Amino acid sequence: MKRFVVPTIFLLATLAGCQTENSENRSPEELPLYDPIDTIGTPIEPTEKIYKNTGEDFIKGVAEFSDEMNNYLDSLDECPEPDTPENSDTSHCSMYLHELDHVLFGSDEFTAEREQMRDDPTTAKILVIDYRFGGAVIRNAKRMLGMYDWQVEENGDAVTADIVKATDMYVTSPADFQFKKMIARSESFLPNSELTRQLDYDRMGKVKTADNAATEYHGSIILNALADYIPYAQFITLKFYHFPNSVICSNSEETIDSYTDQIITSISNLIDEHDIEYVNLSAGRTRASFFDDINQHCPSLENKILNADKLNASYTRILQAMANKAVLVQAAPNGARPTLTPVLDGDFGENHYSDCVDIPNRLRTGYIAKSYLNEPNLPIIPQGGIPYSDAYLSLLNGTMHTVKSCTDLMINSGTVKGFEDLPYFGDHPILFSIWGGSGSPEFLMTTSFINGLGIAVLEQIHRNQGITPSEALALLKSRKPTTETPYLMDPMRHEELPLCANFPDACRNWAGFIIPRWLEPDSQTDANTERQDRHRR
């Protein structure tokens, strides 16, 4: 899993005008723990149900929320500039630790709505295997069913792996915390894209986020996208599973198999417990990545290549087991040399074996990044999609062209990498959010970020056709003339997403939208913050 580094990505919290604070250069452990019972300013309590969530009232509901948010922000004093005396109550600008499990499940605030949604048979339940979900879980509090992590214990060749409750901490200001809680409390569905078009970001300068927000981005972008484009979905999060050194360096096939069985059993039980229909996985492993791990942690190990093959086979077995329990939607590699080609079952010596072997009930997603604003002569993907052919070669960048034979579905983001269309977003853009208060084009698109849209496409097929999610996946794959031919879709252009079906206004009228001044690109994150976590895509 150790590859495909994301070198830079825009920090949307900063871009949205929510300036970051350095918390006086303190480490998170030194920050005070924020008690969510305390309030700063005048947050909106969930006593009066004033927001709408259906039909023509949708945009009105977002506008009403914007008005309430403005009232809250007007009750706060301006945050002081760095190194200036504080002459008023600006405690809402300081950084605090937030214990996410306590925020989500420490009270009964969201229990009734969460359980009502959970028991509704039309609710889509998604297991998101990723990391660094940050404030996205606060924003979507009533749609969260659980947050989980791995507890791995090593004792010689005996290794145990169990799923336990996650104990994640999130650093942000009380104002930002209250902003996300107000979104969670709203009866309206408030996608990030619509907040982009509604909120007054001159006022939003009072909502400070921590300067470590960049490290929160991977899972946060993915969870926000899933929540935005599948309005009726609920989520369980689970940290990435990994192979500890005692397994990586073991010559015992029994040890490797035993550990793999425990991972499979734990994930399978979690899927059963929460009636999971989809697994969103933005990660992958190769034979080479296992070989690198062996060289790093046990360079004197004999039969390194054989061990790498065993681990490659075990990782693939985990993918197959997940796909046997739910629809597995997995991000394709972000690029590979040489060009990937399909492999036969059992060919574990193939570097990209787990990516390129055809696993039933798995969808491998890739992306197209074309807006057509400055390239009007590009071929347009028709409604319903079309199998890839050379006529669409100009839509694929070099990265996606190399992996197309091991990708099932390529989704057009409707935007161009690098914000090249500024001040416009694009004609039919899919928008993403780190912060959870606005959406924008993704500066550096990856297969990780588009992956959740693969689930959204399947959900729309599932609902339209009246078939199961697995049958929807089989139907989509049946449109591919060969296993190595990807299927191309432009779902925002043709309104082929649940968001568009439920709230069509959110998918329309983007062509003339000009990016506000508070989203002018002026900050990028340090690539080094991500290099330690190369297993995600």
Side-chain angles (χ1 to χ4, degrees):
M1 287 191 291
K2 297 199 171 180
R3 70 210 199 273
F4 308 128
V5 180
V6 178
T8 56
I9 185 168
F10 274 86
L11 176 56
L12 298 191
T14 300
L15 301 182
C18 298
Q19 301 161 3
T20 62
E21 295 290 316
N22 64 11
S23 306
E24 300 176 357
N25 296 318
R26 291 179 294 174
S27 67
E29 292 76 11
E30 298 175 299
L31 293 172
L33 182 64
Y34 181 63
D35 186 348
I37 296 175
D38 295 338
T39 58
I40 305 295
T42 311
I44 305 303
E45 298 296 335
T47 54
E48 184 181 2
K49 306 299 187 182
I50 61 174
Y51 303 129
K52 308 299 180 184
N53 195 27
T54 57
E56 63 183 11
D57 290 328
F58 169 59
I59 297 299
K60 178 184 176 183
V62 178
E64 287 176 347
F65 173 82
S66 180
D67 290 341
E68 298 294 344
M69 188 65 201
N70 289 340
N71 291 337
Y72 166 60
L73 294 173
D74 288 343
S75 74
L76 304 177
D77 290 329
E78 294 288 342
C79 293
E81 295 297 323
D83 302 321
T84 59
E86 295 186 14
N87 298 318
S88 58
D89 181 9
T90 56
S91 56
H92 61 278
C93 305
S94 301
M95 294 298 119
Y96 290 83
L97 281 172
H98 300 262
E99 187 179 10
L100 292 180
D101 183 72
H102 179 67
V103 170
L104 296 180
F105 309 111
S107 72
D108 292 332
E109 179 175 3
F110 300 109
T111 299
E113 291 173 288
R114 186 182 287 135
E115 291 181 350
Q116 181 181 10
M117 191 175 184
R118 180 197 63 198
D119 295 338
D120 186 338
T122 66
T123 299
K125 297 181 179 66
I126 302 171
L127 171 60
V128 187
I129 301 179
D130 216 281
Y131 70 152
R132 297 178 178 175
F133 297 100
V137 299
I138 303 174
R139 184 197 199 284
N140 298 293
K142 64 188 172 189
R143 300 172 67 180
M144 296 299 302
L145 295 175
M147 295 185 69
Y148 298 94
D149 198 351
W150 290 96
Q151 179 176 285
V152 176
E153 296 183 357
E154 302 176 68
N155 184 13
D157 284 340
V159 188
T160 60
D162 296 294
I163 290 177
V164 297
K165 283 187 176 181
T167 57
D168 292 10
M169 306 296 287
Y170 181 60
V171 180
T172 197
S173 67
D176 182 48
F177 177 82
Q178 293 297 342
F179 173 70
K180 290 179 170 65
K181 286 293 288 286
M182 289 169 67
I183 293 176
R185 288 166 174 162
S186 172
E187 280 197 327
S188 278
F189 174 65
L190 304 173
N192 288 286
S193 60
E194 289 309 302
L195 293 180
T196 299
R197 297 201 271 198
Q198 290 284 354
L199 289 180
D200 181 351
Y201 283 85
D202 287 329
R203 288 181 169 98
M204 294 301 293
K206 297 176 181 179
V207 180
K208 302 296 185 183
T209 57
D211 59 4
N212 69 343
T215 64
E216 300 292 338
Y217 82 82
H218 198 265
S220 183
I221 288 180
I222 290 165
L223 183 58
N224 276 324
L226 284 164
D228 280 352
Y229 289 97
I230 312 176
Y232 47 79
Q234 283 186 302
F235 310 102
I236 297 90
T237 64
L238 174 64
K239 299 284 183 64
F240 287 128
Y241 47 90
H242 69 282
F243 287 77
N245 293 348
S246 56
V247 175
I248 292 286
C249 298
S250 176
N251 273 320
S252 168
E253 191 166 339
E254 181 180 352
T255 297
I256 297 174
D257 286 345
S258 173
Y259 182 79
T260 303
D261 289 342
Q262 292 178 69
I263 296 293
I264 289 172
T265 298
S266 296
I267 295 177
S268 296
N269 289 342
L270 192 64
I271 290 173
D272 288 341
E273 178 184 351
H274 292 286
D275 297 319
I276 298 297
E277 296 170 285
Y278 301 94
V279 177
N280 186 103
L281 178 65
S282 295
R285 292 297 308 246
T286 64
R287 181 191 193 220
S289 72
F290 282 118
F291 191 76
D292 289 344
D293 283 350
I294 294 170
N295 274 332
Q296 178 181 353
H297 300 294
C298 37
S300 61
L301 185 72
E302 296 181 359
N303 301 319
K304 293 179 187 178
I305 294 178
L306 181 60
N307 253 42
D309 287 349
K310 290 178 183 177
L311 293 164
N312 205 11
S314 294
Y315 184 79
T316 306
R317 192 155 64 87
I318 295 171
L319 299 179
Q320 292 168 331
M322 286 193 288
N324 284 336
K325 300 292 292 185
V327 172
L328 173 61
V329 180
Q330 183 182 9
N334 275 314
R337 298 291 188 272
T339 299
L340 301 192
T341 55
V343 299
L344 299 176
D345 190 18
D347 186 14
F348 303 115
E350 165 61 39
N351 187 42
H352 280 273
Y353 173 78
S354 64
D355 293 312
C356 291
V357 69
D358 187 32
I359 297 177
N361 217 34
R362 176 177 71 164
L363 181 73
R364 301 163 296 179
T365 61
Y367 66 86
I368 297 167
K370 298 296 182 182
S371 72
Y372 296 89
L373 285 182
N374 297 309
E375 298 177 282
N377 295 323
L378 288 174
I380 292 177
I381 300 169
Q383 184 173 9
I386 193 168
Y388 173 80
S389 68
D390 287 343
Y392 293 92
L393 176 62
S394 57
L395 297 184
L396 303 190
N397 64 13
T399 296
M400 285 295 97
H401 188 266
T402 62
V403 302
K404 70 180 187 301
S405 295
C406 297
T407 303
D408 297 307
L409 175 65
M410 290 190 175
I411 297 172
N412 186 25
S413 67
T415 59
V416 182
K417 282 187 174 186
F419 281 167
E420 293 180 13
D421 287 328
L422 285 181
Y424 298 95
F425 278 1
D427 281 348
H428 306 282
I430 294 171
L431 304 183
F432 299 86
S433 178
I434 299 172
W435 171 50
S438 64
S440 77
E442 180 50 51
F443 170 73
L444 185 57
M445 180 57 64
T446 71
T447 57
S448 282
F449 302 150
I450 206 69
N451 198 53
L453 275 296
I455 295 179
V457 165
L458 291 178
E459 261 298 286
Q460 192 61 15
I461 296 173
H462 152 55
R463 303 283 169 137
N464 282 346
Q465 300 288 334
I467 55 182
T468 68
S470 291
E471 290 169 339
L473 172 56
L475 178 61
L476 181 63
K477 280 189 169 184
S478 73
R479 297 171 181 171
K480 299 172 30 163
T482 66
T483 57
E484 62 264 32
T485 303
Y487 200 72
L488 312 182
M489 293 188 71
D490 196 342
M492 273 292 280
R493 175 181 295 275
H494 302 295
E495 300 186 7
E496 297 166 317
L497 300 168
L499 172 67
C500 307
N502 287 269
F503 308 109
D505 286 331
C507 296
R508 297 172 181 170
N509 302 316
W510 285 102
F513 181 75
I514 296 178
I515 194 166
R517 64 172 179 79
W518 41 262
L519 268 175
E520 293 175 0
D522 57 7
S523 176
Q524 292 182 342
T525 65
D526 184 352
N528 292 328
T529 61
E530 288 307 313
R531 290 195 174 113
Q532 60 183 345
D533 291 299
R534 296 167 294 155
H535 56 292
R536 84 287 177 275
R537 294 181 160 167

